[in-house]
Amino acid sequence: MLFKSPTKPLALPEFIALMALMTALVALAIDAMLPALAEIGQELKVENPNHVQLIIGYLFLGLGVGQIGFGPLSDSIGRKPTIYIGLIIYLFGSLMAMFAKDFDTMLMGRLLQGLGLAGPRVVTMAIVRDLYKGREMARVMSFMMTIFILVPALAPSLGQLILFVADWRMIFSSFVILGIVVWVWLGVRQPETLSKENRRRFHIVDIAKGFAYVLKHPTAIGYTAAAGSISGAFVAFLATSQQILEIQLGGGKYFPLLFACLALCLGAASVVNARIVVRYGMRAISRNAMLCIMLAGSLYSIAVYILGEPSLLWFMLFLGFLLFCVGMVFGNMSSVAMEPLGKLAGIGAAVVGSVSTLISFALGAWIGSFYNGSVFPLVLSFAMCSALALLIITIADRLEPPQEAQH
């Protein structure tokens, strides 16, 4: 142990700040890189500009794979040791990417970053569940979400600010510094939340049972696949946003500000959803939001096909509406997928998160490869992915009707 484990619980404001920072490391690792993608591609001699998108995609791939193991591992060895393991992998990946001399090394570093970040991402939720229940847990989560919403809005500006005074490698050095800050803060201040008597033996069979249990329930696997489908279009947006907003549509140096506006639309949806979900229900909100995405994406695709490329203003307005709808889908779909998993909620959450993330990586990379200097492939992907998600959940609801519909 590098630190003597503290025993005094953290005050609520400090606890929320620490948990939010650990969760926000993922958003920082994604969004702070966006202004630097073109510069990285040039220095590492990437011939196809679309391949630079994989710098974003490979982090999602690592996240998808990592979530499977870190949840059960934290139930076995404790929350803090699991986060330490994740941070070690994350820091190693950050250093590998920071000193990369070729594109393959960069992608391996990003893969390791994502793999390591899966630890804090998964275990943070477990720590909150260990300490809080019911309304108090919801209160803590709402405070964490408020902080988390601000990170994607500010991260590209952080990346751009670093690029004003240094090169893209310094962005990765900032990741290293933040990782060390989290390590020390966690070690010195946060007590372990899982007592030894409540720990369970780590076994690969438990993971296999989790997969089998999720696959057995149409609701679980259906809503997981649907969430992955919608997220696939969103990942494609993240990967192409710099190419489209900064270069194609002429946003230039205002790209961080443009991205911040779009990120706030996504965050606003989380706030609105929290206020209306009890009244209208997760399924209804998700379905209506996906219908809006499908219709808006279809109509805008037709407009682009007939009238040509949009102006920056009109595309920003369209994306703002689209991402607001996407924000109304994200949390609800995962929550519905978790409903039938009962006692396997821990491993079930890992499976749901992993499978949906891997689907989004595959779809996002595939969609992004079609970028050809036009917004048409991205816009059409939102329409098609939402239509696919609607089809999947319609089939899932027929195979396993919601309990409230059975009475």
Side-chain angles (χ1 to χ4, degrees), residues 219-341:
T219 296
I221 190 59
Y223 277 80
T224 296
S229 178
I230 292 291
S231 297
F234 179 70
V235 170
F237 155 72
L238 289 176
T240 60
S241 60
Q242 186 264 343
Q243 291 171 284
I244 293 175
L245 297 178
E246 181 177 335
I247 300 173
Q248 178 193 334
L249 299 182
K253 64 182 180 180
Y254 297 106
F255 169 70
L257 178 61
L258 298 173
F259 192 89
C261 293
L262 295 174
L264 290 176
C265 290
L266 200 67
S270 298
V271 176
V272 173
N273 182 71
R275 292 179 177 273
I276 67 174
V277 68
V278 174
R279 180 175 180 181
Y280 296 105
M282 296 179 291
R283 294 171 190 258
I285 292 174
S286 298
R287 187 178 292 274
N288 288 328
M290 284 188 290
L291 278 170
C292 289
I293 296 170
M294 184 180 69
L295 291 173
S298 300
L299 292 173
Y300 210 85
S301 298
I302 294 170
V304 171
Y305 184 79
I306 296 174
L307 302 176
E309 298 303 305
S311 66
L312 178 60
L313 175 61
W314 282 109
F315 193 62
M316 283 291 295
L317 292 173
F318 166 72
L319 278 180
F321 172 76
L322 210 64
L323 293 181
F324 181 86
C325 293
V326 169
M328 300 293 283
V329 172
F330 274 164
N332 290 326
M333 296 281 275
S334 297
S335 297
V336 174
M338 288 295 299
E339 279 183 337
L341 300 185

Side-chain angles (χ1 to χ4, degrees), residues 10-24 124 127-128 131-132 136-148 185 190:
L10 287 178
L12 185 60
E14 184 180 357
F15 176 78
I16 290 171
L18 176 57
M19 295 301 108
L21 178 58
M22 285 199 291
T23 306
T124 297
I127 291 175
V128 175
L131 297 177
Y132 300 96
E136 191 65 20
M137 179 178 174
R139 178 168 170 257
V140 171
M141 290 301 299
S142 66
F143 282 128
M144 285 175 56
M145 185 57 64
T146 300
I147 298 174
F148 181 74
W185 192 356
Q190 175 61 47

Side-chain angles (χ1 to χ4, degrees), residues 372-389:
N372 58 357
S374 169
V375 302
F376 183 78
L378 177 64
V379 174
L380 184 61
S381 75
F382 274 101
M384 296 182 67
C385 287
S386 56
L388 176 61

Side-chain angles (χ1 to χ4, degrees), residues 32-116:
M33 295 304 307
L34 296 177
L37 292 181
E39 186 177 320
I40 294 172
Q42 291 175 358
E43 183 169 334
L44 300 184
K45 297 179 174 60
V46 181
E47 295 182 3
N48 186 337
N50 286 348
H51 289 172
V52 180
Q53 300 169 14
L54 294 175
I55 293 174
I56 304 299
Y58 266 59
L59 190 131
F60 277 94
L61 176 59
L63 277 173
V65 174
Q67 287 180 74
I68 288 293
F70 278 113
L73 185 63
S74 74
D75 289 338
S76 176
I77 67 173
R79 311 304 189 202
K80 290 176 67 174
T82 304
I83 293 176
Y84 293 149
I85 292 172
L87 287 174
I88 289 172
I89 298 171
Y90 164 71
L91 291 171
F92 184 76
S94 298
L95 290 170
M96 179 180 288
M98 180 179 174
F99 294 108
K101 300 296 184 182
D102 58 77
F103 193 53
D104 289 340
T105 304
M106 167 62 70
L107 293 183
M108 180 56 66
R110 291 292 282 177
L111 180 68
L112 290 175
Q113 273 191 303
L115 190 66

Side-chain angles (χ1 to χ4, degrees), residues 70 117 133 135 143 164 174 229 244 250 299 307 353 359 393:
F70 278 113
L117 285 174
K133 295 181 180 180
R135 293 184 179 181
F143 282 128
F164 283 146
S174 71
S229 178
I244 293 175
L299 292 173
L307 302 176
I359 291 173
I393 65 171

Side-chain angles (χ1 to χ4, degrees), residues 117-198:
L117 285 174
R121 180 174 181 172
V122 170
V123 180
T124 297
M125 301 301 298
I127 291 175
V128 175
R129 287 199 304 267
D130 289 341
L131 297 177
Y132 300 96
K133 295 181 180 180
R135 293 184 179 181
E136 191 65 20
M137 179 178 174
R139 178 168 170 257
V140 171
M141 290 301 299
S142 66
F143 282 128
M144 285 175 56
M145 185 57 64
T146 300
I147 298 174
F148 181 74
I149 286 170
L150 296 175
V151 174
L154 298 176
S157 297
L158 172 64
Q160 188 68 67
L161 184 63
I162 292 173
L163 291 177
F164 283 146
V165 297
D167 67 4
W168 59 266
R169 297 181 190 275
M170 286 301 295
I171 297 177
F172 285 102
S173 71
S174 71
F175 295 159
V176 173
I177 293 170
L178 282 171
I180 293 173
V181 168
V182 169
W183 183 305
V184 174
W185 192 356
L186 179 74
V188 172
R189 300 288 294 160
Q190 175 61 47
E192 174 60 53
T193 60
L194 184 66
S195 60
K196 291 184 177 180
E197 57 268 23
N198 289 329

